[in-house]
Amino acid sequence: MVSTKTVLGGFEFDNCLMNAAGVWCMTKEELEEVKDSVAGTFVTKTATLDYRAGNPEPRYQNVPLGSINSMGLPNQGLTYYLDYLLELQEREPERTFFLSLVGMSPNETHTILKQVEASNFNGLVELNLSCPNVPGKPQIAYDFEMTEQILSEVFQYFTKPLGIKLPPYFDIVHFDQAAAIFNQFPLRFVNCVNSIGNGLYIEDESVVIKPKNGFGGIGGEYIKPTALANVHAFYQRLKPEIQIIGTGGVLTGRDAFEHILCGASMVQLGTTLQKEGMEAFQRITEELKAIMAEKGYEKLADFRGKLQYID
Protein backbone atom coordinates (compact mmCIF):
# COMPACT_ATOMS: atom_id res chain seq x y z
CA MET A 1 0.00 0.00 0.00
CA VAL A 2 1.54 3.31 -1.11
CA SER A 3 1.48 6.03 1.55
CA THR A 4 2.35 9.73 1.46
CA LYS A 5 2.31 10.01 5.25
CA THR A 6 5.23 11.91 6.74
CA VAL A 7 6.76 13.06 10.03
CA LEU A 8 8.12 16.57 10.57
CA GLY A 9 9.40 18.06 13.80
CA GLY A 10 8.18 15.04 15.71
CA PHE A 11 4.61 15.36 14.42
CA GLU A 12 2.84 12.93 12.09
CA PHE A 13 0.87 14.04 9.03
CA ASP A 14 -1.41 11.91 6.84
CA ASN A 15 -0.12 13.57 3.67
CA CYS A 16 3.15 15.34 2.83
CA LEU A 17 1.38 18.08 0.85
CA MET A 18 0.24 21.40 2.33
CA ASN A 19 -0.21 25.02 1.28
CA ALA A 20 2.61 27.56 1.21
CA ALA A 21 2.27 30.62 3.44
CA GLY A 22 0.62 33.36 1.42
CA VAL A 23 -1.75 31.10 -0.51
CA TRP A 24 -5.25 30.13 0.63
CA CYS A 25 -4.49 31.17 4.21
CA MET A 26 -5.52 34.80 4.71
CA THR A 27 -8.80 34.04 6.50
CA LYS A 28 -10.19 31.33 8.76
CA GLU A 29 -12.53 30.33 5.94
CA GLU A 30 -9.64 29.71 3.55
CA LEU A 31 -7.70 27.80 6.20
CA GLU A 32 -10.74 25.61 6.88
CA GLU A 33 -10.86 24.71 3.18
CA VAL A 34 -7.23 23.58 3.23
CA LYS A 35 -7.81 21.73 6.52
CA ASP A 36 -10.75 19.81 5.05
CA SER A 37 -8.92 18.93 1.80
CA VAL A 38 -6.55 15.98 1.36
CA ALA A 39 -3.64 18.23 2.43
CA GLY A 40 -1.84 16.93 5.48
CA THR A 41 -2.01 20.27 7.29
CA PHE A 42 -1.91 24.03 6.64
CA VAL A 43 0.23 27.04 7.43
CA THR A 44 -1.32 30.42 8.21
CA LYS A 45 -0.59 33.64 6.36
CA THR A 46 2.62 35.09 7.74
CA ALA A 47 1.38 37.16 10.67
CA THR A 48 2.78 40.46 11.86
CA LEU A 49 1.91 41.87 15.29
CA ASP A 50 -0.91 44.00 13.92
CA TYR A 51 -3.21 43.89 10.89
CA ARG A 52 -1.56 44.96 7.62
CA ALA A 53 -3.37 45.95 4.42
CA GLY A 54 -0.25 45.23 2.35
CA ASN A 55 0.90 46.86 -0.86
CA PRO A 56 -1.43 48.60 -3.35
CA GLU A 57 -3.15 46.48 -6.01
CA PRO A 58 -2.59 44.97 -8.49
CA ARG A 59 0.07 43.15 -6.47
CA TYR A 60 -0.30 39.54 -7.71
CA GLN A 61 -0.42 38.32 -11.31
CA ASN A 62 -0.58 34.84 -12.79
CA VAL A 63 1.82 34.56 -15.72
CA PRO A 64 2.31 31.66 -18.16
CA LEU A 65 5.07 29.85 -16.24
CA GLY A 66 4.11 30.90 -12.73
CA SER A 67 3.36 34.12 -10.91
CA ILE A 68 4.77 37.44 -9.81
CA ASN A 69 3.75 39.17 -6.60
CA SER A 70 4.61 42.02 -4.31
CA MET A 71 2.02 41.53 -1.59
CA GLY A 72 3.67 43.49 1.21
CA LEU A 73 2.65 41.09 4.01
CA PRO A 74 -1.11 41.68 4.09
CA ASN A 75 -2.48 39.74 7.06
CA GLN A 76 -5.06 39.84 9.84
CA GLY A 77 -2.52 40.20 12.65
CA LEU A 78 -1.13 37.62 15.07
CA THR A 79 -4.11 37.49 17.43
CA TYR A 80 -6.50 36.53 14.62
CA TYR A 81 -4.48 33.47 13.59
CA LEU A 82 -3.41 32.46 17.08
CA ASP A 83 -6.97 32.57 18.41
CA TYR A 84 -8.18 30.50 15.46
CA LEU A 85 -5.46 27.89 15.97
CA LEU A 86 -6.20 27.62 19.69
CA GLU A 87 -9.87 27.08 18.90
CA LEU A 88 -8.94 24.50 16.27
CA GLN A 89 -6.78 22.64 18.79
CA GLU A 90 -9.90 22.16 20.91
CA ARG A 91 -11.89 20.89 17.91
CA GLU A 92 -9.26 18.66 16.35
CA PRO A 93 -6.63 17.88 19.00
CA GLU A 94 -5.21 15.00 17.00
CA ARG A 95 -3.97 17.28 14.18
CA THR A 96 -1.00 19.63 13.99
CA PHE A 97 -0.87 22.96 12.14
CA PHE A 98 1.71 25.63 11.32
CA LEU A 99 1.70 29.27 12.44
CA SER A 100 3.79 31.54 10.21
CA LEU A 101 4.99 34.87 11.58
CA VAL A 102 7.48 37.68 11.27
CA GLY A 103 8.07 41.06 12.88
CA MET A 104 8.56 44.30 11.00
CA SER A 105 11.66 44.72 13.19
CA PRO A 106 13.73 42.36 15.37
CA ASN A 107 12.00 43.75 18.46
CA GLU A 108 8.56 43.06 16.99
CA THR A 109 9.64 39.54 16.07
CA HIS A 110 10.56 38.91 19.71
CA THR A 111 7.28 40.43 20.90
CA ILE A 112 5.34 38.08 18.63
CA LEU A 113 7.34 34.98 19.53
CA LYS A 114 7.04 35.70 23.26
CA GLN A 115 3.26 35.99 22.83
CA VAL A 116 3.21 32.59 21.09
CA GLU A 117 5.51 31.10 23.73
CA ALA A 118 3.14 32.25 26.48
CA SER A 119 0.11 30.79 24.67
CA ASN A 120 -1.21 27.23 24.63
CA PHE A 121 -0.42 26.79 20.93
CA ASN A 122 1.07 23.31 20.49
CA GLY A 123 1.79 23.19 16.75
CA LEU A 124 4.79 24.21 14.66
CA VAL A 125 5.94 27.80 14.24
CA GLU A 126 7.49 29.07 11.00
CA LEU A 127 9.58 32.22 11.40
CA ASN A 128 9.65 33.88 7.99
CA LEU A 129 13.18 35.21 7.37
CA SER A 130 12.46 35.74 3.67
CA CYS A 131 9.94 38.49 3.07
CA PRO A 132 11.15 39.91 -0.25
CA ASN A 133 8.32 42.31 -0.93
CA VAL A 134 8.33 44.94 1.82
CA PRO A 135 9.70 48.18 0.34
CA GLY A 136 12.76 49.44 2.18
CA LYS A 137 13.29 46.18 4.10
CA PRO A 138 16.00 43.68 3.06
CA GLN A 139 15.52 39.95 3.47
CA ILE A 140 16.82 38.95 6.91
CA ALA A 141 18.16 35.60 5.72
CA TYR A 142 20.59 37.27 3.31
CA ASP A 143 22.21 39.04 6.29
CA PHE A 144 23.98 36.15 8.01
CA GLU A 145 25.11 38.22 10.97
CA MET A 146 21.55 39.41 11.64
CA THR A 147 20.16 35.90 11.14
CA GLU A 148 22.56 34.42 13.69
CA GLN A 149 21.83 37.23 16.16
CA ILE A 150 18.04 36.84 15.89
CA LEU A 151 18.16 33.06 16.27
CA SER A 152 20.54 33.35 19.22
CA GLU A 153 18.14 35.73 20.95
CA VAL A 154 15.02 33.72 20.04
CA PHE A 155 16.29 30.45 21.50
CA GLN A 156 17.08 32.09 24.81
CA TYR A 157 13.34 32.06 25.56
CA PHE A 158 11.44 30.16 22.83
CA THR A 159 10.85 26.48 23.60
CA LYS A 160 8.09 25.50 21.14
CA PRO A 161 8.86 23.71 17.83
CA LEU A 162 10.33 26.34 15.49
CA GLY A 163 11.47 26.36 11.88
CA ILE A 164 12.43 29.08 9.40
CA LYS A 165 11.24 30.04 5.92
CA LEU A 166 14.19 30.86 3.67
CA PRO A 167 14.75 32.77 0.47
CA PRO A 168 16.70 31.00 -2.27
CA TYR A 169 20.48 31.06 -2.04
CA PHE A 170 22.52 30.95 -5.23
CA ASP A 171 26.12 30.39 -4.18
CA ILE A 172 27.68 27.23 -2.74
CA VAL A 173 29.54 29.24 -0.11
CA HIS A 174 26.23 30.74 1.02
CA PHE A 175 24.79 27.25 1.52
CA ASP A 176 27.84 26.47 3.65
CA GLN A 177 27.62 29.68 5.67
CA ALA A 178 23.86 29.48 6.23
CA ALA A 179 23.97 25.80 7.25
CA ALA A 180 26.79 26.49 9.71
CA ILE A 181 24.52 29.04 11.42
CA PHE A 182 21.36 26.91 11.38
CA ASN A 183 23.18 23.87 12.78
CA GLN A 184 23.95 25.83 15.97
CA PHE A 185 20.27 25.92 16.93
CA PRO A 186 17.47 23.45 17.79
CA LEU A 187 15.50 24.25 14.65
CA ARG A 188 12.91 21.64 13.64
CA PHE A 189 12.89 22.53 9.94
CA VAL A 190 13.92 24.92 7.19
CA ASN A 191 11.51 25.74 4.37
CA CYS A 192 13.16 26.11 0.94
CA VAL A 193 12.25 28.38 -0.79
CA ASN A 194 10.25 31.56 -0.83
CA SER A 195 9.83 33.28 -4.18
CA ILE A 196 12.88 34.51 -6.08
CA GLY A 197 12.95 38.17 -5.18
CA ASN A 198 12.64 41.14 -7.49
CA GLY A 199 11.82 39.64 -10.84
CA LEU A 200 10.13 41.71 -13.53
CA TYR A 201 7.35 40.59 -15.86
CA ILE A 202 6.22 42.69 -18.84
CA GLU A 203 3.11 42.56 -21.01
CA ASP A 204 3.15 44.73 -24.13
CA GLU A 205 5.14 47.69 -22.77
CA SER A 206 4.02 47.67 -19.13
CA VAL A 207 4.79 45.93 -15.88
CA VAL A 208 1.90 43.83 -14.51
CA ILE A 209 1.94 44.73 -10.79
CA LYS A 210 1.89 48.15 -9.17
CA PRO A 211 4.25 48.04 -6.14
CA LYS A 212 7.96 48.73 -6.59
CA ASN A 213 7.40 49.69 -10.26
CA GLY A 214 6.63 46.08 -11.13
CA PHE A 215 9.40 44.28 -9.25
CA GLY A 216 8.12 41.22 -7.39
CA GLY A 217 8.74 37.69 -6.18
CA ILE A 218 8.71 35.01 -8.88
CA GLY A 219 6.96 31.69 -8.21
CA GLY A 220 5.84 28.65 -10.16
CA GLU A 221 7.64 26.66 -12.86
CA TYR A 222 10.35 29.30 -13.16
CA ILE A 223 11.77 28.49 -9.74
CA LYS A 224 11.71 24.68 -9.47
CA PRO A 225 15.41 24.13 -10.32
CA THR A 226 16.40 26.77 -7.78
CA ALA A 227 14.07 25.31 -5.15
CA LEU A 228 15.37 21.76 -5.70
CA ALA A 229 18.96 22.98 -5.45
CA ASN A 230 18.23 24.66 -2.11
CA VAL A 231 16.37 21.63 -0.73
CA HIS A 232 19.22 19.30 -1.66
CA ALA A 233 22.02 21.65 -0.59
CA PHE A 234 20.54 21.95 2.89
CA TYR A 235 19.69 18.24 3.05
CA GLN A 236 23.41 17.60 2.50
CA ARG A 237 24.54 20.16 5.08
CA LEU A 238 22.05 20.29 7.96
CA LYS A 239 22.12 17.98 10.97
CA PRO A 240 19.44 15.24 10.68
CA GLU A 241 17.21 16.83 13.34
CA ILE A 242 16.59 19.81 11.04
CA GLN A 243 14.18 18.56 8.40
CA ILE A 244 13.28 20.28 5.15
CA ILE A 245 10.04 21.51 3.63
CA GLY A 246 10.29 21.80 -0.14
CA THR A 247 8.48 24.71 -1.79
CA GLY A 248 8.68 26.02 -5.34
CA GLY A 249 7.49 24.94 -8.76
CA VAL A 250 5.28 22.03 -7.68
CA LEU A 251 2.74 21.61 -10.49
CA THR A 252 2.63 17.82 -10.66
CA GLY A 253 3.24 14.67 -8.68
CA ARG A 254 6.58 14.40 -10.45
CA ASP A 255 7.59 17.80 -9.06
CA ALA A 256 6.64 16.71 -5.53
CA PHE A 257 8.56 13.45 -6.07
CA GLU A 258 11.67 15.42 -7.02
CA HIS A 259 11.46 17.63 -3.92
CA ILE A 260 11.33 14.51 -1.73
CA LEU A 261 14.11 12.87 -3.74
CA CYS A 262 16.22 15.94 -2.95
CA GLY A 263 15.49 15.55 0.77
CA ALA A 264 12.17 17.22 1.58
CA SER A 265 9.95 15.72 4.29
CA MET A 266 6.95 17.88 3.33
CA VAL A 267 6.06 19.73 0.14
CA GLN A 268 4.14 23.00 -0.13
CA LEU A 269 1.98 24.26 -3.00
CA GLY A 270 1.97 27.98 -3.75
CA THR A 271 1.33 29.24 -7.28
CA THR A 272 -0.35 25.97 -8.36
CA LEU A 273 -2.76 26.16 -5.43
CA GLN A 274 -3.50 29.80 -6.26
CA LYS A 275 -4.28 28.90 -9.87
CA GLU A 276 -6.08 25.57 -9.38
CA GLY A 277 -7.61 25.59 -5.90
CA MET A 278 -8.17 22.63 -3.56
CA GLU A 279 -8.30 20.10 -6.41
CA ALA A 280 -4.53 20.50 -6.75
CA PHE A 281 -3.94 18.57 -3.51
CA GLN A 282 -5.96 15.56 -4.68
CA ARG A 283 -4.47 15.52 -8.18
CA ILE A 284 -0.84 15.88 -7.10
CA THR A 285 -1.23 13.31 -4.30
CA GLU A 286 -2.61 10.77 -6.77
CA GLU A 287 0.14 11.53 -9.30
CA LEU A 288 2.81 11.16 -6.60
CA LYS A 289 1.35 7.83 -5.44
CA ALA A 290 1.28 6.56 -9.03
CA ILE A 291 5.00 7.34 -9.47
CA MET A 292 5.81 5.64 -6.16
CA ALA A 293 3.82 2.54 -7.11
CA GLU A 294 5.51 2.36 -10.51
CA LYS A 295 8.94 2.50 -8.85
CA GLY A 296 8.04 0.07 -6.07
CA TYR A 297 8.20 2.63 -3.25
CA GLU A 298 5.69 2.18 -0.43
CA LYS A 299 6.63 5.20 1.70
CA LEU A 300 8.47 8.50 1.30
CA ALA A 301 11.47 7.27 3.30
CA ASP A 302 12.14 4.71 0.55
CA PHE A 303 13.44 7.47 -1.73
CA ARG A 304 13.80 10.65 0.36
CA GLY A 305 17.20 12.24 -0.17
CA LYS A 306 18.36 9.45 -2.49
CA LEU A 307 19.13 11.66 -5.46
CA GLN A 308 21.58 9.92 -7.79
CA TYR A 309 24.72 11.57 -9.15
CA ILE A 310 26.71 10.84 -12.31
CA ASP A 311 30.06 9.20 -11.57
Side-chain angles (χ1 to χ4, degrees):
M1 182 69 75
V2 172
S3 170
T4 57
K5 286 186 177 180
T6 193
V7 174
L8 187 100
F11 299 93
E12 293 185 7
F13 300 93
D14 286 341
N15 192 357
C16 63
L17 298 182
M18 60 183 291
N19 67 307
V23 184
W24 230 285
C25 57
M26 179 72 79
T27 64
K28 299 172 189 177
E29 291 76 19
E30 288 181 335
L31 290 164
E32 284 282 314
E33 284 190 64
V34 180
K35 177 183 72 68
D36 294 336
S37 73
V38 301
T41 182
F42 66 63
V43 60
T44 64
K45 184 77 176 76
T46 299
T48 49
L49 188 58
D50 301 309
Y51 167 86
R52 280 178 61 88
N55 291 340
E57 307 223 15
R59 58 193 184 187
Y60 175 95
Q61 180 71 38
N62 287 326
V63 296
L65 293 178
S67 62
I68 183 169
N69 84 88
S70 181
M71 302 297 289
L73 279 174
N75 73 96
Q76 307 289 340
L78 175 66
T79 302
Y80 177 93
Y81 300 107
L82 190 54
D83 286 351
Y84 167 65
L85 287 166
L86 292 172
E87 180 264 324
L88 190 53
Q89 279 177 195
E90 297 289 318
R91 262 195 292 146
E92 302 195 30
E94 73 286 354
R95 294 190 66 182
T96 303
F97 301 98
F98 289 71
L99 170 64
S100 181
L101 49 80
V102 71
M104 299 307 292
S105 67
N107 283 343
E108 186 177 293
T109 296
H110 293 310
T111 299
I112 291 170
L113 282 168
K114 285 174 180 175
Q115 196 170 323
V116 175
E117 173 73 14
S119 76
N120 291 322
F121 177 63
N122 61 13
L124 289 146
V125 176
E126 177 181 274
L127 176 60
N128 190 343
L129 299 182
S130 61
C131 291
N133 297 315
V134 179
K137 300 279 186 181
Q139 295 197 47
I140 296 168
Y142 285 153
D143 183 335
F144 290 138
E145 194 175 326
M146 175 63 75
T147 297
E148 186 170 6
Q149 181 182 329
I150 286 177
L151 291 176
S152 297
E153 292 169 354
V154 163
F155 283 110
Q156 288 174 21
Y157 61 84
F158 199 79
T159 62
K160 296 178 188 282
L162 181 73
I164 50 178
K165 177 77 170 278
L166 297 174
Y169 296 102
F170 302 97
D171 197 303
I172 297 296
V173 72
H174 291 156
F175 292 132
D176 294 339
Q177 292 170 335
I181 293 169
F182 303 151
N183 280 330
Q184 297 173 39
F185 302 102
L187 291 164
R188 298 293 184 95
F189 66 89
V190 298
N191 186 347
C192 306
V193 294
N194 205 332
S195 55
I196 296 178
N198 295 313
L200 195 62
Y201 191 87
I202 297 167
E203 285 182 352
D204 192 16
E205 297 181 18
S206 173
V207 300
V208 296
I209 57 173
K210 183 174 181 179
K212 294 162 57 177
N213 289 331
F215 284 75
I218 300 296
E221 289 181 73
Y222 297 109
I223 79 167
K224 189 180 80 165
T226 298
L228 294 177
N230 277 259
V231 167
H232 196 57
F234 283 114
Y235 182 77
Q236 293 172 307
R237 288 165 175 77
L238 294 177
K239 56 189 180 182
E241 308 92 272
I242 305 178
Q243 291 176 272
I244 297 168
I245 299 175
T247 308
V250 180
L251 281 73
T252 67
R254 175 69 201 187
D255 300 326
F257 178 84
E258 290 177 8
H259 269 275
I260 297 159
L261 191 68
C262 285
S265 292
M266 295 194 82
V267 178
Q268 294 186 343
L269 307 186
T271 298
T272 297
L273 181 60
Q274 182 71 37
K275 289 184 174 185
E276 191 175 329
M278 292 303 107
E279 292 76 17
F281 289 121
Q282 183 77 43
R283 176 181 61 78
I284 293 173
T285 299
E286 290 173 0
E287 291 172 359
L288 174 58
K289 284 183 173 180
I291 293 168
M292 291 171 64
E294 183 183 334
K295 292 179 174 291
Y297 298 137
E298 293 183 359
K299 55 189 185 298
L300 303 187
D302 292 343
F303 65 98
R304 181 185 299 111
K306 296 181 180 177
L307 180 65
Q308 299 172 25
Y309 310 129
I310 299 172
D311 293 330

